[in-house]
Amino acid sequence: MQVWPGQAYPLGATYDGAGTNFAVHSEAARRIELCLLHDDGSETAVELRETDAFVRHAYLPGVMPGQRYGFRVHGPYEPARGQRCNSAKLLLDPYARAISGSIDWNESVYGYHFGRPDSRNDLDSAPHTMSSVVVNPYFDWGDDRLPRTDYHRTVIYEAHVKGLTMLHPELPPELRGTYAGLAHPAVISHLTELGVTALELMPVHQFVNDHRLVDSGLNNYWGYNTIGFFAPHNAYASWGDRGEQVLEFKQAVRALHKAGIEVILDVVYNHTAEGNHLGPTLSFRGLDNASYYRLMDDRRYYMDTTGTGNSLLMRSPHVLQLIMDSLRYWVTEMHVDGFRFDLAATLARQFHEVDRLSSFFDLVQQDPVVSQVKLIAEPWDVGEGGYQVGNFPPLWTEWNGKYRDCVRDLWRGEPRTLAEFASRLTGSSDLYQDDGRRPLASINFTTCHDGFTLHDLVSYNGKHNEANGENNRDGESHNRSWNCGAEGDTDDPGVLELRERQMRNFIATLMLSQGVPMLSHGDEFARTQGGNNNAYCQDNEISWVHWPDPGEDEEGSLLTFTKTMVWLRRDHPVFRRRRFFHGRPVEGTHDELTDIAWFTPKGEEMIQRDWQAAHAKALSVFLNGHAISEPGPRGERISDDSFLLMFNASADELDFTIPVNHGEEWQVVVDTARREGVPPGKGPMVAAGEVLRLLGRSLTVLRRPA
């Protein structure tokens, strides 16, 4: 076999049409072998003799796409000093573009013998672990372009590749649970009819099914256990795992883009699947443990701000390079449109505290590629001071956990929620205005993958996670949920009617709020997980979306109502403003009314004591379509219809008086007290000063034409 010196960059395996360049970084290694793996179980070892700045590299002519490989690192095994090199362990390339196979959890994949954590295990892990794959980088993208949908026009749909497609009745069985399933016309048609503009995929980076879960007959369904930051998860490919998963993912992105749908990836750069000191040796640990991970003062152990056993060392230049190279790769080579960063507060931890000006954010800010796509933070982790909602840099948007909590509290009838609800409804200026951000920094949601589904939020007071095998100890215990009078399944028609109304209330509130709305997949069908609020390990019908049969979407369904609310938002810029409300008339218009006004149910403008009243659970909000302060794309003035939103979160029927001086005549366009949510045909007309009676726990929207 010919072995040429090759290049130190790019890292990973790079095929150029004639051969493949291999490059891997390790400061700890004394010697690194590249192992080419053969289908008969044998391997050919090639020592990487060339070294530049701790990068070992070589070029192998004739090595083609589909070739499986791994590394064996010869170096110090001294856990007390933070080093865990062991040449008996076949290691994945941190820059592998594809990964083949799975782990069978033989003892050999660990650096120690079971029951003796201080021992050294020299069993060969190659027959029992995954392998890296050389991929063909060439792909015909045709005229593919990133949709680049503005945030104020964005509606996000959070989904799981397998969960969304596994039970779809129109998908061929071989495409269910795959990237190809996402690209199927039946799935794309549903998303476009719903009004979705961005598909936010739960982790598709190659992840690992935890040993503990496999032994329990479960799987890491959610996928927050990454081992390959460049590789699409191979189990979601319908036709092979030796590079085919890369092609299939690209085809799915291309199809979604053609439909005008962006693809956002939920990414996990805060930790890896190697876990704590008792975890397996799969890649980073064996290459250069102390350079990749945050270690404790006793360097045998790992600092853990993620609850998963380890945290990546965010002050390491090589870790930062790995993350930035990965992000750029997914944008430039895989054409994705943005990222949602799991437990993003960990990315800001250079030492102990969360530093919003840490190196990672500096790198993102100045990067000409990554800074131009959607960047969404899950702004918390489990470490000290980890709840950082509202504290991320101006370039970023955030999952607004305070929005979720407040809206849940309002509709379950908690006292003293009106004042905070007003802020959440109008874009959370208390969180985002001071640092120059706008309402669009707030990603609004009431449900997501983590926690109750929308159906379960209104059907259960407590979690029911018995299927997870942890005696219902796992998962959040304080869900701000309310079962509407019966726990779980019931035949009580009053309870069922109230639950349906509450689901419509949540959907309507989400779509009427300033900011960026995010729906959780299946909520439009009232998907249930049977009260399981932590279905991370349920790769089965507990978590999969149960689609209605074709033609089953009848008038009055939650799906029809959800579509109506999404399109109401998309059709009216007053619900998706790019600037915060001012509470005053807009200069240069003939309208003397303020851009927003708040009223009691009696139609009187709210005063301080109305906001503070513990029993107050109802209000009206006037949104002035003639007072939108931001200009259009060509500097033109934006004008819209005006709306009056009436919220009755109390248990009792209430009379709402239409405020005077804010419009003579209004039309009812949404009424969550109705099963269909909207009046048939044209809704009734009401005049200023008239009274509308709102059913307890319902919402009504009135429109005044421009």
Side-chain angles (χ1 to χ4, degrees):
M1 176 179 292
Q2 286 184 304
V3 180
W4 299 350
Q7 303 293 326
Y9 191 85
L11 292 164
T14 305
Y15 173 69
D16 64 6
T20 303
N21 189 81
F22 294 89
V24 62
H25 178 279
S26 174
E27 295 184 34
R30 289 191 294 266
R31 189 162 62 90
I32 296 180
E33 291 175 298
L34 164 68
C35 299
L36 302 179
L37 307 176
H38 310 300
D39 289 344
D40 63 1
S42 64
E43 62 184 61
T44 300
V46 176
E47 183 172 351
L48 302 180
R49 298 183 181 277
E50 296 294 324
T51 305
D52 291 295
F54 300 108
V55 175
R56 315 289 175 110
H57 53 89
Y59 180 91
L60 274 60
V63 170
M64 307 296 284
Q67 173 65 58
R68 295 183 301 121
Y69 70 98
F71 296 116
R72 294 189 185 274
V73 175
H74 300 260
Y77 182 83
E78 301 175 21
R81 295 180 55 199
Q83 297 295 356
R84 295 177 179 268
C85 299
N86 185 338
S87 60
K89 310 307 171 188
L90 184 75
L91 304 178
L92 291 169
D93 181 355
Y95 279 71
R97 269 56 170 182
I99 292 175
S100 176
S102 59
I103 301 167
D104 66 13
W105 296 116
N106 182 273
E107 187 179 40
S108 63
V109 302
Y110 292 85
Y112 61 93
H113 292 282
F114 291 163
R116 293 182 287 146
D118 292 329
S119 63
R120 172 172 170 149
N121 180 340
D122 288 323
L123 296 172
D124 183 7
S125 68
H128 306 283
T129 191
M130 311 163 90
S131 56
S132 308
V133 179
V134 177
V135 304
N136 186 343
Y138 306 110
F139 180 77
D140 182 8
W141 282 103
D143 60 355
D144 181 72
R145 296 289 186 275
L146 273 62
R148 297 200 179 279
T149 307
D150 292 331
Y151 267 120
H152 70 283
R153 298 183 181 276
T154 295
V155 177
I156 298 174
Y157 188 84
E158 186 200 29
H160 187 283
V161 171
K162 188 173 186 179
L164 181 64
T165 61
M166 195 64 188
L167 299 179
H168 198 297
E170 296 182 52
L171 264 61
E174 65 272 15
L175 298 187
R176 295 179 182 181
T178 70
Y179 303 120
L182 287 180
H184 191 277
V187 174
I188 291 179
S189 175
H190 172 73
L191 297 176
T192 53
E193 290 175 10
L194 187 57
V196 167
T197 69
L199 184 63
E200 183 177 302
L201 295 176
M202 291 175 65
V204 298
H205 287 175
Q206 184 69 51
F207 62 86
V208 169
N209 282 317
D210 314 51
H211 192 168
R212 176 186 66 83
L213 292 177
V214 172
D215 284 351
S216 302
L218 301 169
N219 283 317
N220 190 320
Y221 169 69
W222 283 354
Y224 293 96
N225 204 30
T226 304
I227 196 62
F229 294 108
F230 294 78
H233 187 60
N234 56 27
Y236 297 155
S238 64
W239 53 293
D241 72 353
R242 297 200 182 181
E244 294 89 348
Q245 62 265 55
V246 179
L247 294 176
E248 191 170 324
F249 182 86
K250 289 179 177 180
Q251 289 167 349
V253 171
R254 185 175 60 189
L256 287 160
H257 281 180
K258 188 175 181 180
I261 298 172
E262 294 184 304
V263 178
I264 298 172
L265 301 188
D266 192 339
V267 290
V268 189
Y269 292 111
N270 50 70
H271 73 280
T272 79
E274 291 185 304
N276 62 17
H277 63 289
L278 299 178
T281 299
L282 306 175
S283 179
F284 311 93
R285 173 175 283 142
L287 275 166
D288 196 341
N289 186 61
S291 290
Y292 278 107
Y293 294 116
R294 300 185 71 200
L295 304 178
M296 305 288 283
D297 291 339
D298 183 340
R299 296 177 70 77
R300 292 175 298 173
Y301 303 110
Y302 296 78
M303 189 171 290
D304 178 17
T305 59
T306 64
T308 60
N310 66 55
S311 301
L312 284 172
L313 183 62
M314 296 306 298
R315 66 175 183 269
S316 163
H318 189 61
V319 169
L320 291 170
Q321 180 188 4
L322 171 78
I323 295 174
M324 295 306 298
D325 285 349
S326 170
L327 291 170
R328 277 191 297 270
Y329 174 79
W330 285 94
V331 175
T332 59
E333 298 297 322
M334 307 294 266
H335 286 210
V336 305
D337 304 272
F339 305 95
R340 178 265 189 189
F341 292 79
D342 178 64
L343 300 181
T346 293
L347 302 176
R349 292 182 185 273
Q350 292 203 88
F351 295 96
H352 177 70
E353 71 288 346
V354 175
D355 175 7
R356 84 192 278 261
L357 297 179
S358 71
S359 300
F360 172 70
F361 297 111
D362 292 343
L363 289 172
V364 169
Q365 183 79 27
Q366 59 79 41
D367 190 276
V369 173
V370 180
S371 65
Q372 298 305 302
V373 299
K374 287 183 169 66
L375 302 172
I376 305 170
E378 182 187 32
W380 49 77
D381 64 15
V382 300
E384 182 181 347
Y387 192 76
Q388 294 291 318
V389 174
N391 290 333
F392 276 70
L395 192 64
W396 291 67
T397 62
E398 301 176 13
W399 271 25
N400 191 342
K402 292 187 176 182
Y403 177 95
R404 172 200 59 202
D405 295 346
C406 179
V407 171
R408 289 185 178 192
D409 279 348
L410 175 85
W411 286 115
R412 71 189 180 114
E414 286 296 290
R416 293 189 171 88
T417 57
L418 284 188
E420 184 182 0
F421 175 68
S423 179
R424 303 297 160 247
L425 182 73
T426 55
S428 296
S429 59
D430 58 323
L431 299 176
Y432 304 116
Q433 192 169 29
D434 287 349
D435 59 9
R437 286 190 284 176
R438 294 185 170 177
L440 303 170
S442 179
I443 306 296
N444 299 329
F445 66 105
T446 52
T447 58
C448 63
H449 71 274
D450 189 0
F452 282 141
T453 65
L454 181 60
H455 171 279
D456 293 355
L457 181 66
V458 301
S459 304
Y460 295 91
N461 284 347
K463 61 186 180 182
H464 296 269
N465 299 350
E466 291 80 9
N468 295 356
E470 300 179 43
N471 297 316
N472 208 34
R473 292 191 301 266
D474 63 303
E476 176 62 57
S477 297
H478 183 47
N479 294 282
R480 293 180 162 89
S481 61
W482 178 50
N483 64 19
C484 297
E487 187 73 358
D489 293 339
T490 181
D491 295 325
D492 187 317
V495 171
L496 293 175
E497 181 185 352
L498 177 55
R499 288 177 179 176
E500 290 179 0
R501 187 160 71 248
Q502 286 284 70
M503 286 190 283
R504 290 192 291 270
N505 289 335
F506 280 115
I507 293 291
T509 303
L510 180 64
M511 293 303 155
L512 297 171
S513 299
Q514 306 297 325
V516 181
M518 184 184 77
L519 291 164
S520 180
H521 70 311
D523 275 353
E524 70 272 31
F525 304 127
R527 180 176 76 91
T528 180
Q529 293 181 166
N532 192 321
N533 75 348
N534 189 35
Y536 74 102
C537 56
Q538 299 298 330
D539 187 3
N540 49 51
E541 294 200 17
I542 290 176
S543 293
W544 300 341
V545 173
H546 290 255
W547 292 74
D549 291 329
E552 197 176 302
D553 177 23
E554 58 192 44
E555 283 299 318
S557 71
L558 184 62
L559 174 58
T560 298
F561 178 73
T562 305
K563 290 178 180 178
T564 299
M565 292 307 306
V566 172
W567 284 100
L568 179 71
R569 176 188 183 84
R570 290 189 66 171
D571 288 343
H572 291 284
V574 75
F575 297 125
R576 41 184 177 81
R577 291 173 53 119
R578 288 171 285 132
R579 296 178 182 172
F580 288 110
F581 290 98
H582 303 295
R584 61 178 183 269
V586 173
E587 295 181 8
T589 70
H590 300 295
D591 195 333
E592 297 180 357
L593 297 176
T594 58
D595 57 359
I596 189 169
W598 306 87
F599 300 93
T600 67
K602 293 182 179 180
E604 301 168 347
E605 290 212 39
M606 299 272 284
I607 59 175
Q608 191 63 33
R609 70 167 178 265
D610 296 321
W611 293 111
Q612 300 300 326
H615 63 278
K617 299 175 184 176
L619 52 69
S620 295
V621 190
F622 168 72
L623 303 181
N624 189 348
H626 292 291
I628 299 174
S629 58
E630 61 266 22
R634 297 183 179 180
E636 73 275 16
R637 182 169 169 265
I638 298 175
S639 185
D640 192 13
D641 299 336
S642 295
F643 288 84
L644 189 65
L645 318 180
M646 296 176 168
F647 296 89
N648 181 13
S650 70
D652 303 318
E653 288 188 356
L654 288 178
D655 288 335
F656 280 70
T657 300
I658 310 300
V660 296
N661 302 324
H662 283 75
E664 293 300 320
E665 202 168 36
W666 299 82
Q667 184 176 41
V668 178
V669 293
V670 176
D671 181 0
T672 62
R674 306 180 66 96
R675 185 171 185 272
E676 67 274 17
V678 292
K682 289 189 174 181
M685 303 297 295
V686 292
E690 286 190 27
V691 173
L692 280 180
R693 174 159 290 188
L694 266 64
L695 196 63
R697 295 193 172 90
S698 72
L699 180 163
T700 294
V701 178
L702 308 181
R703 180 176 65 89
R704 188 193 77 191

